[in-house]
């Protein structure tokens, strides 16, 4: 990976066009991507603990693929004892 390549780029499968990273997913699709129930993702949105999202209206919420990948990266842990401050995969 070159110095200009973002850290999260290592999580993107090879061959995925950069434009696809900005594709917007609805809540059902985003929950499926993350492997969590839709209701959990909705609850995380309410509490501010989940991935960032785009809100066009109260009933029109979208998640960008790149933001879901970044969220997954932030959630990586080496053990169940890792805290948010101490968790890094590198």
């Amino acid at each position: 990976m070159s110095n200009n390549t973002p850290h999260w780029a290592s999580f993107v499968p090879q061959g995925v066009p950069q434009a696809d990273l900005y594709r917007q997913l609805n809540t059902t699709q985003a929950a499926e991507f993350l492997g969590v129930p839709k209701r959990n993702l909705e609850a995380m949105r309410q509490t501010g603990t989940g991935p960032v999202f785009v809100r066009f209206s109260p009933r029109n919420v979208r998640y960008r693929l790149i933001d879901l990948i970044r969220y997954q990266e932030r959630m990586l842990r080496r053990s169940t004892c890792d805290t948010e401050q101490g968790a890094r995969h590198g």
Side-chain angles (χ1 to χ4, degrees):
M1 203 168 2
S2 74
N3 289 342
N4 294 336
T5 304
H7 178 64
W8 50 262
S10 63
F11 294 93
V12 178
Q14 281 191 327
V16 173
Q18 190 169 13
D20 284 354
L21 295 175
Y22 293 90
R23 189 176 87 229
Q24 295 178 359
L25 306 178
N26 64 32
T27 303
T28 301
Q29 294 166 325
E32 186 175 308
F33 177 84
L34 292 174
V36 300
K38 178 182 172 184
R39 287 183 183 249
N40 288 22
L41 187 57
E42 291 168 340
M44 288 189 285
R45 191 168 64 227
Q46 290 288 322
T47 60
T49 59
V52 297
F53 57 93
V54 180
R55 184 176 183 174
F56 295 104
S57 72
R59 294 181 157 236
N60 189 356
V61 174
R62 296 290 184 262
Y63 294 86
R64 298 182 312 173
L65 182 57
I66 192 165
D67 296 323
L68 297 175
I69 293 168
R70 288 175 177 157
Y71 176 76
Q72 282 183 324
E73 182 179 348
R74 286 194 316 271
M75 294 295 104
L76 289 175
R77 304 291 186 263
R78 286 197 179 274
S79 77
T80 56
C81 297
D82 283 346
T83 63
E84 287 187 44
Q85 295 83 14
R88 284 292 170 243
H89 62 281

